[in-house]
């Protein structure tokens, strides 16, 4: 048995098996989060929904993902992980993620009045969001532990790529599960809830695999001579409340966090309403629109590892961040002002969005360790995600309200186009803010070359 235990820590096969157990919960999380993204247009006609939600209700629901995160959940996460370890806290929040998904599913099929079902779904989305974000931190830390001294960058890149495939799967599968209705027909509760049921099944499978990983991780620790829930964390890496102030007074960290929130809201919040924008703007049907929006995660799966290797070799991270932000701003300008009804411009805009979405994270996340001491990295990343979630909480609410207030007559294409363009003005504003912050960060890097923000990661 002792020899078997050794093999778990030293075996490359065991490491990849552990990764396989870790990626499934994240794939399922991304699927569940984006299950309505290519169905957002159906909320423009609440009279066709037995559920009774309108676009503002949907935007309110989507913002629920970030509510508990913004209320401090992500910052507290670092404390809990340091105090009790990844296995216990990760299991708690994987369970919370599943509990939230169950609550959302029950709300969708409950037959309650629209505002009651919305309140219940919002609570479920809050629980799911907090569980998902903290489970993601636990997964990242677990990969770093298992692949230390091995292909850790490759393992983390694969985890991110597979998770984003969950988004792509949701984009493509959801319209198949909820077939398009003609005027006068009704989407039943069961039909509306099919994507949630599918995502819930995936999450349950992910929970089982997480349990298998926990057992493997326990044996890993026994082999490495680690005892107790805190043994895997070095003292210099433990959370201290004073670290929050140190991080928040770092000007380059502030700029990075602001770039993160402005940039990600241009994409993640846009995806929530993607079909509601591209269908009227570019004269597309639902099937074509879902494939167009699905290009975003597919582009990131293809280009993120390539751009990461480029930044590692060539450096110039702040220049790449600025370039990516400009591409995303250009994409939203095209979606707002391109000729009406020409699908080519839609594909061009989404292509630019996907490339920018690959480029900025590839350059931004590896830059954080260059501006923040290693012992404060956990706090720094938690704070970045916390600030990011503030935008993800608010932007969907405002965009959903634009659609509700602009579209007063079901099927009025002129109103649908106006709503799409008005929504794009929000994303254009966020894009301008992202480009501005990226340029300021690039200028700061040039004033402080000693930080090495633009030096290659591979020496």
């Amino acid at each position: 048995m002792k020899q078997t235990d050794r093999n778990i820590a030293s075996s490359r096969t065991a490491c990849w098996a552990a990764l396989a157990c870790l990626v499934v919960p994240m794939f399922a999380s991304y699927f569940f989060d984006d299950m309505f993204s290519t169905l957002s247009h159906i909320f423009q006609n609440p009279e066709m929904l037995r559920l009774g939600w309108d676009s503002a209700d949907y935007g309110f629901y989507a913002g629920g993902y970030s509510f508990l995160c913004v209320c401090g959940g992500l910052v507290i996460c670092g404390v809990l992980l340091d105090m009790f370890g990844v296995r216990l806290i990760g299991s708690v929040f994987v369970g919370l993620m599943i509990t939230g998904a169950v609550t959302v599913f029950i709300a969708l099929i409950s037959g309650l009045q629209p505002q009651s079902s919305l309140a219940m779904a919002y609570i479920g989305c809050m629980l799911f969001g907090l569980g998902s974000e903290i489970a993601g931190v636990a997964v990242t830390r677990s990969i770093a532990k298992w692949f230390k001294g091995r292909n850790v960058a490759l393992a983390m890149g694969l985890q991110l790529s597979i998770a984003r495939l969950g988004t792509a799967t949701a984009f493509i599968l959801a319209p198949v599960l909820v077939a398009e209705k003609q005027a006068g027909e009704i989407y039943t509760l069961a039909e509306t809830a099919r994507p949630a049921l599918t995502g819930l099944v995936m999450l349950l499978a992910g929970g089982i695999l997480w349990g298998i990983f926990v057992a493997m991780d326990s044996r890993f620790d026994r082999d490495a001579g680690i005892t107790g829930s805190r043994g895997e964390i070095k003292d210099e890496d433990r959370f201290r409340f004073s670290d929050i102030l140190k991080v928040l007074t770092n000007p380059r960290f502030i700029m990075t966090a602001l770039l993160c929130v402005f940039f990600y809201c241009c994409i993640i919040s846009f995806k929530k309403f993607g079909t509601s924008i591209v269908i009227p703007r570019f004269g597309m049907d639902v099937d074509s629109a879902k494939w167009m929006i699905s290009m975003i995660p597919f582009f990131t799966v293809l280009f993120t590892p390539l751009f990461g290797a480029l930044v590692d070799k060539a450096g110039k991270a702040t220049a790449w961040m600025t370039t990516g932000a400009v591409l995303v701003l250009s994409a939203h300008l095209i979606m707002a002002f391109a000729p009406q009804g020409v699908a080519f411009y839609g594909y061009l805009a989404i292509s630019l969005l996907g490339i920018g979405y690959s480029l900025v994270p590839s350059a931004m996340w590896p830059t954080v360790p260059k501006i923040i001491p290693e012992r404060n990295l956990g706090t720094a990343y938690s704070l970045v995600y916390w600030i990011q979630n503030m935008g993800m909480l608010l932007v969907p609410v405002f965009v959903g309200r634009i659609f509700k207030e602009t579209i007063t007559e079901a099927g009025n294409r002129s109103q649908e186009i106006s709503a799409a363009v008005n929504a794009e003005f929000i994303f254009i504003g966020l894009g301008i803010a992202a480009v501005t912050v990226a340029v300021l960060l690039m200028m700061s890097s040039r004033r402080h070359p000693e930080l090495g923000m633009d030096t290659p990661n591979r020496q």
Side-chain angles (χ1 to χ4, degrees):
M1 177 63 72
K2 200 168 184 177
Q3 182 63 37
T4 302
D5 284 346
R6 278 198 203 98
N7 290 340
I8 289 178
S10 61
S11 170
R12 299 177 69 88
T13 302
C15 289
W16 292 110
L19 180 64
C21 292
L22 292 170
V23 298
V24 175
M26 292 297 97
F27 177 95
S29 169
Y30 275 56
F31 179 96
F32 197 90
D33 184 37
D34 281 309
M35 63 184 176
F36 285 135
S37 293
T38 46
L39 296 172
S40 61
H41 57 282
I42 69 176
F43 296 103
Q44 295 176 10
N45 303 306
E47 70 279 357
M48 294 178 62
L49 286 169
R50 174 66 181 83
L51 185 64
W53 294 4
D54 58 28
S55 292
D57 294 331
Y58 168 63
F60 177 74
Y61 160 78
Y65 180 97
S66 300
F67 182 82
L68 292 178
C69 299
V70 170
C71 289
L74 280 171
V75 179
I76 295 171
C77 160
V79 182
L80 296 177
L81 285 172
D82 285 349
M83 289 177 61
F84 301 108
V86 166
R87 289 195 297 273
L88 175 60
I89 298 305
S91 298
V92 169
F93 287 103
V94 168
L96 187 66
M97 180 169 63
I98 295 172
T99 300
V102 170
T103 305
V104 171
F105 175 70
I106 292 174
L108 293 175
I109 64 171
S110 64
L112 295 171
Q113 291 298 312
Q115 293 308 306
S116 298
S117 65
L118 177 62
M120 184 177 181
Y122 189 82
I123 293 171
C125 194
M126 288 194 303
L127 298 176
F128 168 78
L130 182 61
S132 179
E133 290 290 301
I134 298 181
V137 175
V139 165
T140 301
R141 292 186 58 169
S142 297
I143 292 174
K145 171 185 172 182
W146 276 73
F147 284 85
K148 184 177 182 180
R150 304 182 191 233
N151 306 100
V152 63
L154 174 61
M156 288 187 176
L158 286 172
Q159 189 274 134
L160 179 60
S161 295
I162 293 172
R164 288 180 175 175
L165 281 176
T167 290
T169 303
F171 286 173
I172 295 168
L173 187 58
V176 176
L177 295 171
V178 184
E180 187 76 3
K181 298 285 189 180
Q182 300 300 318
E185 296 181 321
I186 300 295
Y187 292 95
T188 66
L189 295 176
E191 288 174 325
T192 308
R194 282 174 188 165
L197 177 60
T198 304
L200 179 57
V201 171
M202 293 180 183
L203 285 166
L204 291 172
I208 292 171
L209 288 173
W210 172 265
I212 294 173
F213 167 76
V214 167
M216 294 177 65
D217 193 62
S218 180
R219 295 181 67 180
F220 183 103
D221 281 1
R222 289 202 303 270
D223 179 33
I226 298 172
T227 58
S229 61
R230 299 165 60 105
E232 64 188 275
I233 303 166
K234 297 179 181 179
D235 182 67
E236 62 267 26
D237 293 330
R238 295 187 190 280
F239 178 90
R240 293 174 174 84
F241 284 102
S242 60
D243 293 342
I244 297 177
L245 183 60
K246 292 179 181 178
V247 171
L248 289 176
T249 53
N250 184 320
R252 278 152 294 281
F253 170 81
I254 295 298
M255 286 185 277
T256 301
L258 290 175
L259 173 61
C260 182
V261 66
F262 294 142
F263 175 81
Y264 274 94
C265 284
C266 282
I267 299 172
I268 295 177
S269 298
F270 166 79
K271 289 189 300 181
K272 301 293 184 185
F273 296 89
T275 54
S276 295
I277 291 173
V278 301
I279 288 175
R281 276 293 287 121
F282 303 112
M284 311 188 74
D285 57 32
V286 174
D287 193 56
S288 299
K290 77 175 183 183
W291 285 106
M292 178 184 284
I293 300 300
S294 299
M295 290 169 57
I296 298 174
F298 281 126
F299 265 71
T300 64
V301 170
L302 177 63
F303 286 111
T304 300
L306 295 177
F307 289 147
L310 179 63
V311 173
D312 280 341
K313 184 176 181 179
K316 306 295 183 184
T318 58
W320 293 120
M321 284 185 249
T322 303
T323 302
V326 169
L327 288 175
V328 169
L329 173 59
S330 300
H332 286 297
L333 288 170
I334 291 172
M335 278 186 273
F337 299 113
Q340 174 62 34
V342 182
F344 166 78
Y345 291 105
Y347 286 107
L348 174 61
I350 295 299
S351 297
L352 293 176
L353 204 65
I355 294 171
Y357 191 27
S358 305
L359 189 49
V360 172
S362 299
M364 182 172 62
W365 296 119
T367 301
V368 176
K370 296 181 179 181
I371 60 177
I372 297 295
E374 183 176 356
R375 65 177 299 273
N376 295 335
L377 280 179
T379 303
Y381 280 122
S382 295
L383 286 170
V384 170
Y385 287 131
W386 177 52
I387 295 170
Q388 173 188 319
N389 273 273
M390 292 182 185
M392 292 168 60
L393 171 68
L394 297 174
V395 173
V397 175
F398 288 116
V399 175
R401 187 162 294 279
I402 285 174
F403 278 97
K404 179 180 180 180
E405 293 178 354
T406 307
I407 302 175
T408 58
E409 180 183 346
N412 187 316
R413 183 48 60 99
S414 177
Q415 291 182 350
E416 291 174 357
I417 294 170
S418 295
V421 173
N422 291 340
E424 276 300 321
F425 289 153
I426 289 182
F427 297 120
I428 289 171
L430 291 167
I432 292 172
V435 171
T436 301
V437 174
V439 170
L440 292 174
L441 188 61
M442 182 169 59
M443 293 170 60
S444 179
S445 174
R446 291 176 180 177
R447 287 196 301 267
H448 297 276
E450 73 279 3
L451 296 174
M453 294 176 64
D454 286 320
T455 59
N457 295 323
R458 284 204 311 245
Q459 302 297 328

